[in-house]
């Protein structure tokens, strides 16, 4: 529970151990910031520490404190170690379900060096806001300071794990996504999820298989 200082300290101490004892280029965290939306999870903490906040604001502030403390700890050890975050691709869900204030992280110094939203959909997703181009541009609009770089997270697994018709009917989705990213003004690159999905079960590159995605 990130509401408690000792819990945040435990997380930060783990980050310090990595940055102190290992030669790393970056520390990177994933997208699940609050373990649950269940109000029973932090009822006691909310009663003790909520100070008139709404439950949502309380949780958001707790996550922001944890993220900021991680960033500060890393920079105090070695300023050129990067700190990156890979939040869920759906921007509203970050605030409403994960209590991740991605707008603040993308527009305020002191939270992260780069953001890698999980834009794991194609161009023809049934939800308009999830379509690769629309979602990628929405994230680009959030990044408003030079201290934070935008890197788009691509879902390679979509090509093989229960693919939708778009992925079944088109073999160039990933190619077109790369071309789209390359043409974006405010994007510094891409990350593919996952490395394993570049290979088939025999360990060969996907282009060596009978079926190419």
């Amino acid at each position: 529970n990130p509401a408690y200082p000792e819990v945040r300290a435990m997380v930060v101490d783990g980050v310090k151990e990595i940055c102190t004892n290992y030669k790393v280029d970056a520390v990177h965290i994933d997208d699940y910031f609050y373990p649950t939306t269940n109000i029973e999870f932090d009822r006691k903490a909310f009663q003790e520490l909520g100070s008139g906040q709404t439950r949502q604001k309380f949780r958001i502030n707790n996550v922001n404190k944890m993220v900021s403390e991680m960033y500060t700890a890393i920079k105090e050890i070695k300023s050129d170690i990067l700190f990156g975050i890979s939040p869920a691709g759906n921007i509203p869900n970050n605030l409403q379900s994960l209590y991740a204030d991605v707008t603040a992280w993308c527009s305020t110094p002191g939270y992260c060096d780069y953001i890698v939203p999980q834009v794991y959909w194609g161009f023809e997703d049934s939800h308009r806001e999830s379509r690769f181009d629309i979602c990628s541009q929405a994230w680009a609009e959030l990044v408003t300071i030079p201290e934070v770089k935008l890197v788009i997270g691509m879902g390679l697994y979509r090509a093989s794990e229960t693919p939708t018709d778009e992925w079944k009917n088109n073999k160039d989705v990933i190619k077109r996504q790369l071309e789209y990213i390359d043409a974006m003004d405010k994007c510094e690159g891409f990350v593919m999820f996952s490395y394993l999905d570049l290979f088939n079960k025999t360990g060969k590159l996907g282009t060596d298989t009978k079926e190419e995605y």
Side-chain angles (χ1 to χ4, degrees):
N1 186 343
Y4 295 112
E6 58 268 31
V7 173
R8 299 196 301 272
M10 181 182 68
V11 175
V12 171
D13 286 345
V15 170
K16 288 180 177 178
E17 178 186 355
I18 293 169
C19 294
T20 301
N21 297 320
Y22 301 92
K23 187 177 180 180
V24 296
D25 296 314
V27 173
H28 185 87
I29 61 174
D30 211 354
D31 59 318
Y32 289 96
F33 303 100
Y34 243 83
T36 178
T37 57
N38 190 326
I39 62 172
E40 297 301 327
F41 170 75
D42 58 353
R43 181 182 294 278
K44 182 178 178 182
F46 182 61
Q47 290 172 346
E48 294 175 355
L49 305 169
S51 302
Q53 303 173 79
T54 64
R55 180 68 61 95
Q56 181 185 35
K57 189 64 176 177
F58 175 67
R59 290 180 169 183
I60 289 171
N61 285 339
N62 294 335
V63 174
N64 278 348
K65 288 177 184 177
M66 184 174 67
V67 171
S68 176
E69 289 168 10
M70 293 170 71
Y71 177 90
T72 300
I74 292 167
K75 299 305 178 180
E76 287 177 349
I77 293 171
K78 192 174 181 182
S79 61
D80 61 353
I81 294 178
L82 300 178
F83 179 48
I85 307 174
S86 186
N90 186 304
I91 294 173
N93 279 357
N94 279 292
L95 273 177
Q96 297 165 8
S97 300
L98 301 171
Y99 309 98
D101 192 357
V102 293
T103 300
W105 302 347
C106 291
S107 61
T108 310
Y111 285 111
C112 63
D113 296 301
Y114 65 89
I115 196 95
V116 188
Q118 299 172 13
V119 188
Y120 290 171
W121 304 281
F123 293 95
E124 302 173 9
D125 193 83
S126 58
H127 300 285
R128 185 179 183 277
E129 66 277 7
S130 296
R131 293 174 187 171
F132 186 83
D133 51 341
I134 293 173
C135 189
S136 295
Q137 288 298 334
W139 279 98
E141 291 174 7
L142 288 188
V143 178
T144 57
I145 56 173
E147 291 89 344
V148 179
K149 307 301 182 187
L150 173 65
V151 180
I152 296 296
M154 301 171 57
L156 265 66
Y157 72 96
R158 292 283 189 177
S160 58
E161 294 183 13
T162 59
T164 61
D165 286 344
E166 178 182 4
W167 295 91
K168 291 178 182 177
N169 299 333
N170 300 277
K171 295 185 178 182
D172 65 343
V173 178
I174 294 169
K175 173 180 177 290
R176 287 187 285 118
Q177 288 180 338
L178 288 169
E179 290 172 342
Y180 188 88
I181 290 170
D182 186 56
M184 290 179 67
D185 292 333
K186 293 172 63 177
C187 184
E188 299 291 324
F190 60 89
V191 169
M192 293 182 173
F193 181 77
S194 70
Y195 175 80
L196 180 63
D197 291 292
L198 289 173
F199 297 83
N200 64 12
K201 293 181 180 179
T202 67
K204 295 180 180 180
L205 281 171
T207 50
D208 291 333
T209 62
K210 292 182 180 179
E211 292 187 26
E212 298 179 8
Y213 294 102

